[in-house]
Amino acid sequence: MRYIGNKTKLLPFLRSAIARLGIAPGVVHDAFAGTAAVGRALKSAGWVVHSSDLMTYSYVMQRAYVVASSVDSFDELAKADAGIRGVFTERGLAAPHRSIIGAGRAIPLEPTDASATRLTAVAEHLAAGVAPNDGFFAKNFGPAGGRMYFTDENARRIDAARMTLHDWRRRGLLADDTFYILLAAVLEGADRVANTAGVYAAYIKQWQPNALRPLAVVAERPIGTVARCVAHQADAAQVAETLGPIDMLYVDPPYNTRQYAGYYHVPELIARGWFDDDVKLRGKTGLIADEEQKSAWCSRRDAPDALRGLLAATGACHVLVSYNTEGVIGDKSLRSILADAAVDGRVKRFTQRYKRYRADSDREGRRYKGDEVRELLYYARLR
Ligand SMILES: C[S@@+](CC[C@H](N)C(=O)[O-])C[C@H]1O[C@@H](n2cnc3c(N)ncnc32)[C@H](O)[C@@H]1O
């Protein structure tokens, strides 16, 4: 998903810093999970991940990409839903745990492969197979609702997909993991056809090429491990407090004064669940009325105390903080807060510029000539 602060491209930088520090996989708290890109990468690397974020769409992605380890067989769904039954029969997926026929011969599949093939078919059916519906998104976020976030057709398809999913869940036809995998796929699909410049603070007054494409729902197969990861929709410090002793805390907070709640209200609404007309919206962009999931980390005045509070609450041995040179907490202040919390008073800083990784120490006060640091990663040992 297009997301401010998404760390997907910086994963090699993060992995390399963890390797250089010699931190072995254990239990980690990805405290500002966002798209869950970091939690997902750490789970793949063998970590047991607890993740947290204030936003519902983030919780959906945490569940889909970090917590989920398996996919339904979809047998119950196929029994109850004639549309799905038809799709499975058409695609030769009617007997999921035996084989599929390909290139004239039977290709044996592991159960997970069969389930994954069915998952793809169910996701595609949600995008294009269920009848478009004039629901909440069509009424509020398409031209019929006076806003151009989605074409009428895509808004109606988003409504159909999310309402079908919630209906299946309500009837007990989907396991939780599968529900969240599919809901995350709808969120991401909607984001790809959103008529925005990347955030939902405004829509564009002319249709962009991406917005004119039909909604596509592409479900991601989960990382199947035995690691029991947990998602939280809550404040980072509150979750840190409940986790007790862990190995590592990863901190990737908002850097500036822009609140995520105002920038991503449309995915937030898609993620929230079953509703029709009972959510009140306000203003040109349809923000959620009377609700502010406001973060202290976006305030120049409050962010330093929020960081102190999080460091006091965590039981982690190691802390890594991603930050940016234009953040609301200045470099000096950030280093001093981390140094106060560190067991040895030391703070290490890794920087990334043009794909070169560097580390320096605050004690040496090194400056790189003409260095325009774009991404910073601070490290301190807490216990
Ligand atoms: C820079 S983004 C994180 C990006 C994430 N690492 C990724 O790769 O997608 C910051 C996130 O912090 C969340 N956030 C803001 N205040 C928070 C708080 N007090 N506790 C937990 N999460 C918070 C925002 O909703 C946002 O998703």
Side-chain angles (χ1 to χ4, degrees):
M1 172 166 160
R2 297 175 290 174
Y3 197 62
I4 297 175
N6 183 337
K7 290 293 171 294
T8 304
K9 288 196 181 134
L10 287 165
L11 290 173
F13 173 50
L14 193 60
R15 277 194 206 102
S16 142
I18 293 172
R20 279 191 192 200
L21 291 163
I23 306 173
V27 179
V28 62
H29 178 194
D30 176 16
F32 300 82
T35 60
V38 174
R40 183 187 207 171
L42 291 174
K43 181 183 178 185
S44 287
W47 289 81
V48 174
V49 181
H50 286 259
S51 50
S52 54
D53 200 287
L54 297 178
M55 307 303 297
T56 317
Y57 57 76
S58 172
Y59 179 77
V60 170
M61 290 190 276
Q62 292 168 47
R63 290 292 307 250
Y65 304 141
V66 184
V67 176
S69 283
S70 62
V71 188
D72 274 4
S73 67
F74 295 105
D75 287 339
E76 288 307 309
L77 182 62
K79 260 189 237 156
D81 189 296
I84 290 295
R85 222 168 28 248
V87 170
F88 286 176
T89 307
E90 210 174 277
R91 297 188 182 201
L93 303 171
H97 295 154
R98 285 184 214 122
S99 64
I100 59 166
I101 306 299
R105 63 196 172 89
I107 303 168
L109 291 173
E110 292 300 322
T112 49
D113 286 338
S115 300
T117 311
R118 280 184 156 201
L119 176 69
T120 303
V122 173
E124 287 172 8
H125 178 72
L126 279 175
V130 289
N133 187 309
D134 280 319
F136 183 84
F137 283 86
K139 284 184 204 148
N140 291 291
F141 292 106
R147 299 184 183 103
M148 286 177 65
Y149 280 103
F150 301 107
T151 60
D152 270 327
E153 178 66 11
N154 278 335
R156 296 173 78 230
R157 290 205 171 280
I158 291 166
D159 274 319
R162 80 182 176 94
M163 289 165 93
T164 304
L165 255 184
H166 285 291
D167 179 48
W168 287 345
R169 189 190 200 197
R170 205 164 37 100
R171 292 160 60 200
L173 302 175
L174 291 179
D176 275 0
D177 277 2
T178 306
F179 169 77
Y180 283 111
I181 290 170
L182 289 167
L183 186 54
V186 172
L187 268 179
E188 304 243 22
D191 191 60
R192 282 191 295 271
V193 296
N195 193 37
T196 66
V199 295
Y200 294 79
Y203 53 84
I204 301 173
K205 309 287 179 298
Q206 272 104 31
W207 293 114
Q208 301 302 294
N210 70 302
L212 295 171
R213 287 191 210 117
L215 174 75
V217 178
V218 184
E220 300 261 353
R221 190 179 171 155
I223 306 164
T225 67
V226 288
R228 275 207 264 131
C229 300
V230 185
H232 305 263
Q233 186 182 357
D235 173 67
Q238 279 172 14
V239 175
E241 185 110 48
T242 62
L243 292 182
I246 58 168
D247 298 283
M248 187 168 84
L249 167 69
Y250 175 61
V251 181
D252 184 21
Y255 305 146
N256 57 35
T257 52
R258 285 178 246 139
Q259 294 284 348
Y260 280 78
Y263 271 56
Y264 297 97
H265 62 297
V266 177
E268 178 64 15
L269 284 163
I270 295 177
R272 281 219 185 158
W274 181 283
F275 54 81
D276 205 359
D277 288 327
D278 54 343
V279 177
K280 299 266 173 294
L281 304 180
R282 68 178 159 88
K284 257 190 172 170
T285 61
L287 289 170
I288 306 169
D290 308 323
E291 250 190 74
E292 314 261 342
Q293 284 157 298
K294 269 202 173 162
S295 172
W297 295 81
C298 296
S299 149
R300 235 169 257 288
R301 198 194 56 196
D302 300 333
D305 274 346
L307 177 57
R308 281 187 202 97
L310 175 59
L311 293 172
T314 184
C317 292
H318 308 278
V319 63
L320 278 168
V321 182
S322 278
Y323 220 62
N324 172 301
T325 40
E326 279 143 31
V328 294
I329 311 179
D331 177 68
K332 236 176 146 181
S333 169
L334 215 152
R335 282 172 186 264
S336 126
I337 295 168
L338 283 169
D340 285 349
V343 73
D344 53 3
R346 291 165 60 124
V347 178
K348 214 172 227 269
R349 192 184 78 171
F350 297 83
T351 67
Q352 190 194 33
R353 186 177 170 241
Y354 305 122
K355 295 189 181 155
R356 280 169 59 196
Y357 310 145
R358 292 168 165 174
D360 62 11
S361 148
D362 57 342
R363 301 220 160 154
E364 294 158 7
R366 262 196 278 166
R367 285 270 156 85
Y368 293 104
K369 244 198 235 165
D371 215 5
E372 281 231 331
V373 175
R374 291 167 62 195
E375 279 295 330
L376 311 172
L377 187 65
Y378 296 85
Y379 166 77
R381 179 158 190 132
L382 300 179
R383 31 187 72 75

